[in-house]
Protein backbone atom coordinates (compact mmCIF):
# COMPACT_ATOMS: atom_id res chain seq x y z
CA UNK A 1 0.00 0.00 0.00
CA UNK A 2 1.43 3.38 -0.97
CA UNK A 3 1.92 6.25 1.44
CA UNK A 4 -0.88 8.36 -0.06
CA UNK A 5 -3.47 5.63 0.52
CA UNK A 6 -2.27 5.16 4.10
CA UNK A 7 -2.62 8.90 4.68
CA UNK A 8 -6.15 8.89 3.26
CA UNK A 9 -7.00 5.97 5.55
CA UNK A 10 -5.79 7.97 8.56
CA UNK A 11 -7.88 10.94 7.42
CA UNK A 12 -10.97 8.73 7.13
CA UNK A 13 -10.47 7.32 10.64
CA UNK A 14 -9.87 10.82 12.01
CA UNK A 15 -13.09 12.15 10.45
CA UNK A 16 -15.10 9.20 11.82
CA UNK A 17 -13.81 9.78 15.35
CA UNK A 18 -14.35 13.54 15.01
CA UNK A 19 -18.01 13.05 14.02
CA UNK A 20 -18.59 10.58 16.84
CA UNK A 21 -16.93 12.92 19.33
CA UNK A 22 -18.98 15.90 18.22
CA UNK A 23 -22.26 13.97 18.45
CA UNK A 24 -21.31 12.55 21.86
CA UNK A 25 -20.26 15.92 23.31
CA UNK A 26 -23.45 17.58 22.04
CA UNK A 27 -25.55 14.82 23.61
CA UNK A 28 -23.90 15.22 27.02
CA UNK A 29 -23.73 19.02 26.57
CA UNK A 30 -19.99 19.15 27.16
CA UNK A 31 -19.36 22.66 25.82
CA UNK A 32 -15.64 22.51 26.50
CA UNK A 33 -15.43 19.30 24.50
CA UNK A 34 -17.45 20.88 21.69
CA UNK A 35 -15.06 23.82 21.62
CA UNK A 36 -12.08 21.48 21.36
CA UNK A 37 -13.89 19.62 18.56
CA UNK A 38 -13.89 22.89 16.64
CA UNK A 39 -10.16 23.27 17.30
CA UNK A 40 -9.67 19.67 16.10
CA UNK A 41 -10.93 20.72 12.66
CA UNK A 42 -7.91 22.96 12.14
CA UNK A 43 -5.05 21.14 13.89
CA UNK A 44 -4.65 18.38 11.23
CA UNK A 45 -4.23 20.90 8.40
CA UNK A 46 -1.37 22.92 9.94
CA UNK A 47 1.41 20.86 8.34
CA UNK A 48 -0.26 20.58 4.89
CA UNK A 49 -0.92 24.33 4.92
CA UNK A 50 2.72 25.03 5.79
CA UNK A 51 3.78 22.79 2.90
CA UNK A 52 1.53 24.86 0.60
CA UNK A 53 2.90 28.16 1.92
CA UNK A 54 6.51 27.10 1.33
CA UNK A 55 5.62 25.41 -1.99
CA UNK A 56 6.86 22.01 -0.82
CA UNK A 57 5.76 18.86 -2.60
CA UNK A 58 3.68 16.59 -0.35
CA UNK A 59 5.48 13.92 1.62
CA UNK A 60 2.63 11.67 2.70
CA UNK A 61 4.65 9.95 5.40
CA UNK A 62 4.95 13.35 7.10
CA UNK A 63 1.24 14.01 6.57
CA UNK A 64 0.44 10.61 8.12
CA UNK A 65 2.68 11.25 11.13
CA UNK A 66 1.03 14.64 11.53
CA UNK A 67 -2.55 13.36 11.51
CA UNK A 68 -1.63 10.40 13.74
CA UNK A 69 -0.07 12.76 16.27
CA UNK A 70 -3.00 15.19 16.10
CA UNK A 71 -5.41 12.25 16.50
CA UNK A 72 -3.95 11.57 19.94
CA UNK A 73 -2.97 15.10 20.96
CA UNK A 74 -6.01 17.04 19.79
CA UNK A 75 -8.86 14.59 19.21
CA UNK A 76 -8.46 11.84 21.81
CA UNK A 77 -6.71 14.09 24.31
CA UNK A 78 -8.97 17.14 24.22
CA UNK A 79 -12.28 15.83 22.84
CA UNK A 80 -12.38 12.40 24.50
CA UNK A 81 -10.78 13.38 27.84
CA UNK A 82 -7.59 11.46 27.06
CA UNK A 83 -5.53 13.88 29.13
CA UNK A 84 -7.25 12.58 32.24
CA UNK A 85 -5.52 9.23 31.69
CA UNK A 86 -2.28 9.10 33.73
CA UNK A 87 0.84 9.93 31.69
CA UNK A 88 -1.14 10.32 28.45
CA UNK A 89 0.01 13.94 28.05
CA UNK A 90 3.63 13.02 28.84
CA UNK A 91 3.66 10.44 26.04
CA UNK A 92 2.10 12.98 23.66
CA UNK A 93 4.73 15.60 24.54
CA UNK A 94 7.51 13.04 24.11
CA UNK A 95 6.36 12.26 20.57
CA UNK A 96 5.91 15.97 19.88
CA UNK A 97 9.62 16.34 20.64
CA UNK A 98 10.48 13.60 18.15
CA UNK A 99 8.23 15.04 15.46
CA UNK A 100 9.16 18.71 15.88
CA UNK A 101 12.91 17.98 15.87
CA UNK A 102 12.45 16.09 12.59
CA UNK A 103 10.47 19.04 11.19
CA UNK A 104 13.25 21.39 12.35
CA UNK A 105 15.83 19.26 10.50
CA UNK A 106 13.70 19.41 7.34
CA UNK A 107 13.43 23.18 7.71
CA UNK A 108 17.20 23.49 8.12
CA UNK A 109 17.80 21.51 4.93
CA UNK A 110 15.28 23.70 3.10
CA UNK A 111 16.95 26.91 4.29
CA UNK A 112 20.50 25.75 3.61
CA UNK A 113 19.71 23.71 0.47
CA UNK A 114 21.88 20.87 1.71
CA UNK A 115 21.14 17.35 2.92
CA UNK A 116 23.72 17.46 5.72
CA UNK A 117 25.76 20.19 7.44
CA UNK A 118 28.71 21.01 5.20
CA UNK A 119 31.34 21.78 7.86
CA UNK A 120 31.93 21.85 11.64
CA UNK A 121 30.46 25.32 12.10
CA UNK A 122 27.38 24.37 10.10
CA UNK A 123 27.08 21.21 12.19
CA UNK A 124 27.08 23.19 15.45
CA UNK A 125 24.43 25.57 14.16
CA UNK A 126 22.39 22.58 12.95
CA UNK A 127 22.38 20.91 16.38
CA UNK A 128 21.48 24.19 18.08
CA UNK A 129 18.75 24.98 15.56
CA UNK A 130 16.87 21.67 15.65
CA UNK A 131 16.81 21.51 19.45
CA UNK A 132 16.03 25.20 19.95
CA UNK A 133 13.09 25.01 17.56
CA UNK A 134 11.74 21.91 19.30
CA UNK A 135 11.94 23.61 22.72
CA UNK A 136 10.45 26.82 21.32
CA UNK A 137 7.40 24.90 20.09
CA UNK A 138 7.08 23.13 23.46
CA UNK A 139 7.20 26.50 25.22
CA UNK A 140 4.66 28.08 22.86
CA UNK A 141 2.30 25.18 23.53
CA UNK A 142 2.55 25.84 27.27
CA UNK A 143 1.85 29.54 26.55
CA UNK A 144 -1.30 28.44 24.69
CA UNK A 145 -2.44 26.28 27.61
CA UNK A 146 -1.79 29.11 30.05
CA UNK A 147 -3.83 31.54 27.92
CA UNK A 148 -6.66 28.99 27.83
CA UNK A 149 -6.68 29.20 31.63
CA UNK A 150 -6.49 32.99 31.72
CA UNK A 151 -9.13 33.76 29.09
CA UNK A 152 -11.45 30.73 29.19
CA UNK A 153 -10.85 29.26 32.66
CA UNK A 154 -9.88 25.98 30.97
CA UNK A 155 -7.17 24.58 33.21
CA UNK A 156 -5.52 22.30 30.63
CA UNK A 157 -2.20 23.43 32.09
CA UNK A 158 -3.29 21.91 35.45
CA UNK A 159 -2.07 25.00 37.23
CA UNK A 160 -4.58 24.69 40.06
CA UNK A 161 -3.52 21.13 40.85
CA UNK A 162 0.23 21.12 40.17
CA UNK A 163 1.44 24.70 39.69
CA UNK A 164 4.38 24.68 37.30
CA UNK A 165 5.00 20.92 37.62
CA UNK A 166 2.80 19.92 34.67
CA UNK A 167 4.31 22.53 32.34
CA UNK A 168 7.88 21.70 33.29
CA UNK A 169 7.47 17.93 32.91
CA UNK A 170 5.67 18.42 29.57
CA UNK A 171 8.60 20.44 28.23
CA UNK A 172 11.10 17.95 29.66
CA UNK A 173 9.33 15.10 27.83
CA UNK A 174 9.50 17.08 24.58
CA UNK A 175 13.19 17.73 25.26
CA UNK A 176 13.88 14.01 25.73
CA UNK A 177 12.05 13.18 22.51
CA UNK A 178 14.07 15.86 20.74
CA UNK A 179 17.36 14.48 22.05
CA UNK A 180 16.49 11.00 20.79
CA UNK A 181 15.70 12.38 17.34
CA UNK A 182 18.95 14.37 17.46
CA UNK A 183 20.83 11.10 18.09
CA UNK A 184 19.15 9.61 15.00
CA UNK A 185 20.17 12.66 12.96
CA UNK A 186 23.76 12.64 14.25
CA UNK A 187 24.15 8.94 13.41
CA UNK A 188 22.81 9.70 9.93
CA UNK A 189 25.16 12.65 9.40
CA UNK A 190 28.26 10.81 10.65
CA UNK A 191 27.64 7.22 9.58
CA UNK A 192 24.63 7.41 7.23
CA UNK A 193 22.61 5.22 9.63
CA UNK A 194 19.04 4.82 8.38
CA UNK A 195 15.70 4.37 10.15
CA UNK A 196 12.04 5.22 9.47
CA UNK A 197 12.44 8.91 10.35
CA UNK A 198 15.66 9.34 8.36
CA UNK A 199 14.06 7.81 5.28
CA UNK A 200 11.30 10.42 5.56
CA UNK A 201 13.99 13.09 5.86
CA UNK A 202 15.70 11.83 2.70
CA UNK A 203 12.43 11.64 0.77
CA UNK A 204 11.59 15.24 1.68
CA UNK A 205 15.05 16.34 0.56
CA UNK A 206 14.83 14.41 -2.71
CA UNK A 207 11.40 15.78 -3.63
CA UNK A 208 11.85 19.38 -2.53
CA UNK A 209 15.47 20.41 -2.13
CA UNK A 210 17.50 18.27 -4.51
CA UNK A 211 15.01 18.82 -7.33
CA UNK A 212 15.08 22.57 -6.73
CA UNK A 213 18.89 22.58 -6.63
CA UNK A 214 19.01 20.80 -9.99
CA UNK A 215 16.55 23.29 -11.46
CA UNK A 216 18.68 26.18 -10.22
CA UNK A 217 21.82 24.57 -11.67
CA UNK A 218 20.14 24.10 -15.05
CA UNK A 219 18.88 27.69 -15.01
CA UNK A 220 22.34 29.00 -14.08
CA UNK A 221 23.98 26.93 -16.81
CA UNK A 222 21.48 28.28 -19.30
CA UNK A 223 22.20 31.85 -18.24
CA UNK A 224 25.96 31.28 -18.50
CA UNK A 225 25.53 29.78 -21.97
CA UNK A 226 23.54 32.81 -23.16
CA UNK A 227 26.21 35.17 -21.82
Amino acid sequence: MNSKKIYRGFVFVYICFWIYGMVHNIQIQDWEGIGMEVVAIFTPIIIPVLFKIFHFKPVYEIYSLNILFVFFASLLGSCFAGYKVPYFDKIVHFFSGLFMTLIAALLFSAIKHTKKPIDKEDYKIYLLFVNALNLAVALLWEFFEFLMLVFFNNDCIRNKATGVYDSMTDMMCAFVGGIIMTVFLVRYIKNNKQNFFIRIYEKFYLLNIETENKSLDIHQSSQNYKE
Side-chain angles (χ1 to χ4, degrees), residues 51 56-59 62 105-107 109-110 198-210:
F51 266 64
F56 293 147
K57 293 178 182 177
V59 179
I62 294 176
L106 299 179
L107 184 58
S109 71
I198 297 303
R199 285 190 286 272
I200 292 175
Y201 179 92
E202 288 200 323
K203 184 174 182 179
F204 172 85
Y205 182 85
L206 176 64
L207 289 176
N208 293 286
I209 312 305
E210 188 172 288

Side-chain angles (χ1 to χ4, degrees), residues 14-15 17-18 22 33-45 67 70-71 73-76 78-80:
Y14 187 93
I15 291 172
F17 270 82
W18 184 90
M22 179 61 82
I34 292 169
M36 297 311 296
E37 286 276 352
V38 174
V39 173
I41 296 173
F42 299 101
T43 45
I45 66 172
I67 201 162
V70 170
F71 176 79
S74 184
L75 198 59
L76 292 188
S78 298
C79 306
F80 289 87

Side-chain angles (χ1 to χ4, degrees), residues 5-227:
K5 288 183 178 179
I6 293 173
Y7 169 64
R8 286 176 173 174
F10 283 159
V11 171
F12 176 76
V13 171
Y14 187 93
I15 291 172
C16 290
F17 270 82
W18 184 90
I19 292 171
Y20 172 78
M22 179 61 82
V23 171
H24 175 71
N25 285 323
I26 289 173
Q27 287 177 340
I28 65 174
Q29 296 186 338
D30 181 355
W31 302 112
E32 181 179 312
I34 292 169
M36 297 311 296
E37 286 276 352
V38 174
V39 173
I41 296 173
F42 299 101
T43 45
I45 66 172
I46 293 174
I47 293 295
V49 166
L50 287 175
F51 266 64
K52 288 287 185 182
I53 291 172
F54 289 103
H55 304 291
F56 293 147
K57 293 178 182 177
V59 179
Y60 289 102
E61 289 86 351
I62 294 176
Y63 284 12
S64 294
L65 282 178
N66 172 61
I67 201 162
L68 186 62
F69 174 75
V70 170
F71 176 79
F72 286 96
S74 184
L75 198 59
L76 292 188
S78 298
C79 306
F80 289 87
Y83 288 116
K84 293 181 180 178
V85 176
Y87 303 109
F88 180 92
D89 63 329
K90 309 308 172 192
I91 296 171
V92 167
H93 281 280
F94 170 79
F95 281 101
S96 77
L98 283 173
F99 190 46
M100 288 312 308
T101 305
L102 176 63
I103 293 296
L106 299 179
L107 184 58
F108 183 91
S109 71
I111 294 170
K112 299 286 288 185
H113 290 268
T114 180
K115 184 184 286 189
K116 298 179 181 180
I118 57 177
D119 54 36
K120 288 184 178 180
E121 292 302 315
D122 218 30
Y123 179 65
K124 292 175 184 178
I125 294 171
Y126 175 84
L127 293 179
L128 179 62
F129 178 82
V130 297
N131 285 283
L133 185 57
N134 172 42
L135 291 175
V137 171
L139 177 63
L140 289 172
W141 179 257
E142 297 306 316
F143 282 175
F144 164 74
E145 289 191 336
F146 178 71
L147 292 174
M148 289 290 289
L149 173 63
V150 172
F151 292 109
F152 302 103
N153 200 32
N154 181 352
D155 192 13
C156 48
I157 203 170
R158 299 181 66 197
N159 178 70
K160 295 174 182 176
T162 69
V164 300
Y165 180 85
D166 183 69
S167 292
M168 294 304 297
T169 51
D170 285 351
M171 288 187 286
M172 288 172 67
C173 288
F175 173 73
V176 172
I179 291 297
I180 291 174
M181 181 58 70
T182 301
V183 171
F184 293 157
L185 293 167
V186 168
R187 293 177 70 219
Y188 168 66
I189 292 167
K190 291 189 174 182
N191 303 310
N192 207 36
K193 295 288 186 180
Q194 301 280 326
N195 61 32
F196 171 73
F197 297 106
I198 297 303
R199 285 190 286 272
I200 292 175
Y201 179 92
E202 288 200 323
K203 184 174 182 179
F204 172 85
Y205 182 85
L206 176 64
L207 289 176
N208 293 286
I209 312 305
E210 188 172 288
T211 304
E212 183 181 348
N213 287 346
K214 288 179 180 178
S215 298
L216 289 172
D217 289 341
I218 292 171
H219 177 73
Q220 186 64 43
S221 298
S222 175
Q223 290 294 108
N224 292 338
Y225 178 77
K226 289 177 181 179
E227 291 174 1

